[in-house]
Amino acid sequence: MSTIGIDIGGSKALAVRLDDGVVADERHTATQRGPLVDVALAAIRGVWTDDVEAVGVGIAGLVQWPEGVFAWGPHVDGTDVPLKALLEEELGVPVAVDNDANVAAFGERVAGAARGFNDFLLVTLGTGIGGAIVIDGSVFRGESFAGEWGHIRHDPGGLLCDCGKRGCWETVASGPALVRLAREVMSLNPEGSLAGRFGSRAITGEDVTAAADAGDEVARGLVAEVGSELGRGLANLIAIFDPELVIVGGGLGSVGESLLGPARRVAAEALHGGNHRLLPPILVAGAGPRSGAIGAAYLASTIRS
Ligand SMILES: [Zn+2]
């Protein structure tokens, strides 16, 4: 059977088509501002074939489950959009719409780092921070919106977040946080390596992580700083859930050890219990930034009529 999964984030959408569980096609699109249904349809049509039986959508923000209504998100246009109903009318196949981290958790359990695990947390790190809670093998949703820990109060009185509140965790641990740190360094040190590398052009989180990968010590320090803030928040989540495993996904999560090493160290220091407990493994997503789209396509396979 053939299903499509799409993952809509703040700046880009990834669509994959699975044929009998194997990725047969995938496309990245930059998300244009505009009606959410048009953004989703553009991504779906990029990989559409006439034998597609169902579509799954993961989207960054608050999604009412199982109605598939996108209620609100700080990084995506549209409020109270009945996306599942609109897409089913347009495409003529069953559609499931869920939070992006929830579908990523599904993808990781089926085809990633969480195979064989029943109790784990997934933290997506990109434009913001998303989260999914898996307990006894099922996503725990609360009433619908559980796991939105990107907006827990990490630094009271801190930076203004895209959600309108101050000091949210994602203001200091995300792609935009990395860019902000790089800009601060460049303005303080216009003769430094980062300023020499980027000049006055607009930069992205990927630019900074690429500089770190290329051995730029300043960039590596900034990635480590974001990793430390990641770890400080992870310690809180581990204190609440005591999971078997924590998976870090999303675009920034794929950076790997230069981010996760500092995160593990800070999480271990911050967590109560010291040497009397083990920190759960904190691993990069096995399906990488594709886990959301792949998970959405697997989710679709469970809802076809
Ligand atoms: Zn916020």
Side-chain angles (χ1 to χ4, degrees):
M1 72 172 294
S2 193
T3 61
I4 285 173
I6 66 170
D7 183 3
I8 302 174
S11 57
K12 53 198 158 198
L14 174 63
V16 302
R17 193 181 72 249
L18 291 189
D19 289 347
D20 295 325
V22 176
V23 175
D25 196 3
E26 67 176 278
R27 302 279 167 91
H28 285 272
T29 45
T31 49
Q32 311 294 333
R33 302 308 258 185
L36 182 55
V37 66
D38 293 344
V39 171
L41 283 170
I44 292 164
R45 288 195 170 120
V47 296
W48 179 265
T49 53
D50 286 339
D51 60 348
V52 168
E53 293 176 65
V55 172
V57 178
I59 184 163
L62 305 180
V63 178
Q64 283 161 2
W65 177 267
E67 299 85 355
V69 174
F70 176 73
W72 176 82
H75 309 298
V76 175
D77 281 349
T79 54
D80 300 319
V81 180
L83 194 58
K84 170 180 160 68
L86 290 170
L87 291 175
E88 286 182 340
E89 188 180 322
E90 193 70 30
L91 299 170
V93 298
V95 176
V97 179
D98 200 346
N99 171 268
D100 61 342
N102 288 348
V103 296
F106 198 55
E108 284 297 305
R109 189 149 191 269
V110 175
R115 275 177 287 193
F117 289 88
N118 286 324
D119 294 292
F120 69 95
L121 304 178
L122 182 134
V123 177
T124 61
L125 216 58
T127 307
I129 297 178
I133 304 157
V134 176
I135 297 173
D136 290 339
S138 298
V139 170
F140 174 79
R141 302 170 188 282
E143 283 296 303
S144 266
F145 304 151
E148 287 285 343
W149 43 55
H151 304 281
I152 55 177
R153 201 68 57 241
H154 186 84
D155 179 17
L159 297 164
L160 186 63
C161 180
D162 286 347
C163 76
K165 312 289 187 191
R166 276 194 182 277
C168 298
W169 186 19
E170 69 177 41
T171 63
V172 291
S174 61
L178 190 55
V179 169
R180 176 177 46 74
L181 290 173
R183 284 208 188 104
E184 286 171 8
V185 165
M186 288 191 287
S187 73
L188 284 171
N189 189 1
E191 307 300 321
S193 64
L194 283 190
R197 182 181 291 265
F198 299 130
S200 57
R201 73 177 173 91
I203 58 170
T204 64
E206 283 94 349
D207 291 329
V208 184
T209 57
D213 286 343
D216 185 299
E217 286 300 320
V218 177
R220 290 176 70 86
L222 299 182
V223 169
E225 192 170 336
V226 168
S228 297
E229 295 292 357
L230 173 67
R232 206 152 66 84
L234 289 181
N236 295 335
L237 305 186
I238 292 165
I240 297 168
F241 294 102
D242 192 22
E244 291 178 281
L245 171 71
V246 176
I247 296 175
V248 179
L252 192 54
S254 59
V255 166
E257 285 308 304
S258 53
L259 184 85
L260 296 191
R264 286 190 201 101
R265 274 196 298 281
V266 171
E269 285 165 13
L271 194 61
H272 70 296
N275 296 329
H276 303 284
R277 66 185 298 167
L278 288 174
L279 192 72
I282 299 173
L283 304 177
V284 69
R290 302 197 306 177
S291 48
I294 290 173
Y298 277 113
L299 176 65
S301 70
T302 68
I303 53 108
R304 72 194 165 121
S305 53

